[in-house]
Amino acid sequence: MKLRRFGGLILIAGMAGLGLLLPGWSRFLLTLALARGLLVLGVVLLMQAGLVSFGQGLFFAAGAYAVGFAVRDLGLRDALVGVALGAGAGLGIAALTGPLLARYRGIFFAMLTLAFSMILYGILVKAYWITGGTDGLRIPPPTFLGWSLPEEHLGSGLYLFTLACTGVMVFLIFRYLRSPLGYTVRAIRDNEVRVEYLGLSVSRALYITVLLVGAMGGLGGALSAMSVGHIDPNLAYWTTSGEFVFVALLGGTGNVFAPLAGSIVFEFLRTYAYKYIPYTWQMGLGLVMLAIVGFAPGGLWSLYELIARRMSGWMWSWKRGV
């Protein structure tokens, strides 16, 4: 029981140690996967309400450009300031779009999120004198509480910082899903009319969920921007948002760690696909998705749960035999 209670802390500690032992390129991919995994976790949260978002790039780009503007115009390079501004930018965008998004369901919700994301993409491309247009903006290495890490330790520092931010958000989402609001959102997916009959506000519950998803997406954008060191309008493009949906299906929705696992697998899979099949890597990812849909419709996390159940059954049988 205690192991299950502290399983998340053990997993994060293990990932911290593993990340420091891996080569630099693997640690960089893990950093990106964790940052983007926050966007995927937002997709999964909306799926809990029966909604699919094709516009996560809206919050992703908002958080990233908030960091870019803070560095260029205000000279603010501290990582803590960056993530605060990124999360705030995502939250602000969600606060503006949320009242409209909360009124729609199904394909209308998906297309509306896509439309908002593409509007931001158009603004980022056209407002060259502000955003740098398609050239984007360069982001120098961040500082940590005013300290500049040596270049050889910068990757490790960014990885641990991203892991810590991700761990905090995963804990908050874990608590959210077990709160009355979390149960309300899942009830909306099952029967929205009955939730209204119970006297609960469907629009309010969805609006709060959109705010949470927006803040989490902005945080992921800020962490990704600081890790990569460059941002451009493609962060808000529809293909970026489509990747987040792809990864959500790849990882599954059975646990808060499933989107992060799916994001890590996707980053490494895409990297090796670029290396070995650079001209047909999209086809390779498509074949992987077909395999997941065919053999594990619940995503990679369903495979983990299946293996865990079988191992538990084998252990129980072995103990009875003993």
Side-chain angles (χ1 to χ4, degrees):
M1 189 69 173
K2 291 183 179 180
L3 183 61
R4 291 186 61 184
R5 180 176 299 178
F6 296 102
L9 292 176
I10 295 173
L11 178 61
I12 291 176
M15 288 191 65
L18 177 64
L20 295 178
L21 294 176
L22 290 174
W25 67 270
S26 298
R27 187 165 53 244
F28 173 71
L29 288 181
L30 281 176
T31 305
L32 281 184
L34 291 173
R36 291 172 173 263
L38 293 175
L39 278 296
V40 181
L41 186 55
V43 173
V44 172
L45 278 185
L46 292 173
M47 286 182 175
Q48 296 284 338
L51 303 171
V52 178
S53 170
F54 285 103
Q56 291 298 95
L58 174 70
F59 309 121
F60 192 47
Y65 272 88
V67 173
F69 294 151
V71 172
R72 186 192 65 183
D73 301 328
L74 302 176
L76 300 175
R77 291 178 49 194
D78 195 84
L80 288 175
V81 175
V83 295
L85 290 174
L91 181 64
I93 294 291
L96 293 175
T97 60
L100 183 60
L101 291 174
R103 296 174 55 187
Y104 291 90
R105 307 289 183 269
I107 189 64
F108 304 104
F109 180 90
M111 291 297 101
L112 193 58
T113 57
L114 176 61
F116 281 132
S117 180
M118 292 306 295
I119 289 172
L120 179 60
Y121 171 78
I123 294 173
L124 295 176
V125 170
K126 297 299 182 181
Y128 182 84
W129 62 95
I130 299 176
T131 65
T134 55
D135 294 333
L137 299 174
R138 177 185 173 273
I139 298 178
T143 60
F144 297 89
L145 297 177
W147 291 84
S148 296
L149 295 179
E151 185 176 354
E152 61 271 20
H153 299 306
L154 181 61
S156 300
L158 281 170
Y159 171 71
L160 293 177
F161 182 73
T162 302
L163 181 63
C165 292
T166 303
V168 171
M169 289 306 304
V170 167
F171 174 76
L172 293 177
I173 297 304
F174 179 81
R175 299 300 302 174
Y176 161 82
L177 290 175
R178 281 155 179 77
S179 69
L181 180 60
Y183 286 113
T184 300
V185 169
R186 278 171 282 182
I188 292 172
R189 175 194 60 195
D190 296 332
N191 195 320
E192 181 177 336
V193 175
R194 186 168 295 179
V195 172
E196 291 281 7
Y197 283 161
L198 291 174
L200 301 175
S201 174
V202 171
S203 297
R204 178 176 175 272
L206 293 179
Y207 180 62
I208 294 175
T209 302
V210 171
L211 291 178
L212 182 58
V213 169
M216 193 160 47
L219 174 61
L223 292 171
S224 179
M226 290 186 291
S227 300
V228 176
H230 183 266
I231 55 176
D232 60 66
N234 284 327
L235 296 176
Y237 200 55
W238 69 269
T239 53
T240 303
S241 299
E243 282 185 5
F244 297 137
V245 178
F246 178 95
V247 177
L249 297 176
L250 176 66
T253 61
N255 190 280
V256 290
F257 290 107
L260 301 180
S263 183
I264 292 172
V265 170
F266 177 76
E267 288 296 332
F268 279 90
L269 184 64
R270 178 168 58 179
T271 299
Y272 280 102
Y274 272 137
K275 179 179 180 180
Y276 294 110
I277 48 173
Y279 301 108
T280 57
W281 68 270
Q282 294 96 334
M283 183 179 68
L285 293 180
L287 292 175
V288 170
M289 179 55 68
L290 286 176
I292 292 295
V293 172
F295 298 100
L300 295 176
W301 195 261
S302 65
L303 293 178
Y304 163 77
E305 291 178 334
L306 177 62
I307 294 172
R309 284 196 301 268
R310 290 189 175 182
M311 290 186 65
S312 178
W314 292 336
M315 290 295 295
W316 184 76
S317 300
W318 180 76
K319 288 181 179 180
R320 287 194 62 188
V322 173

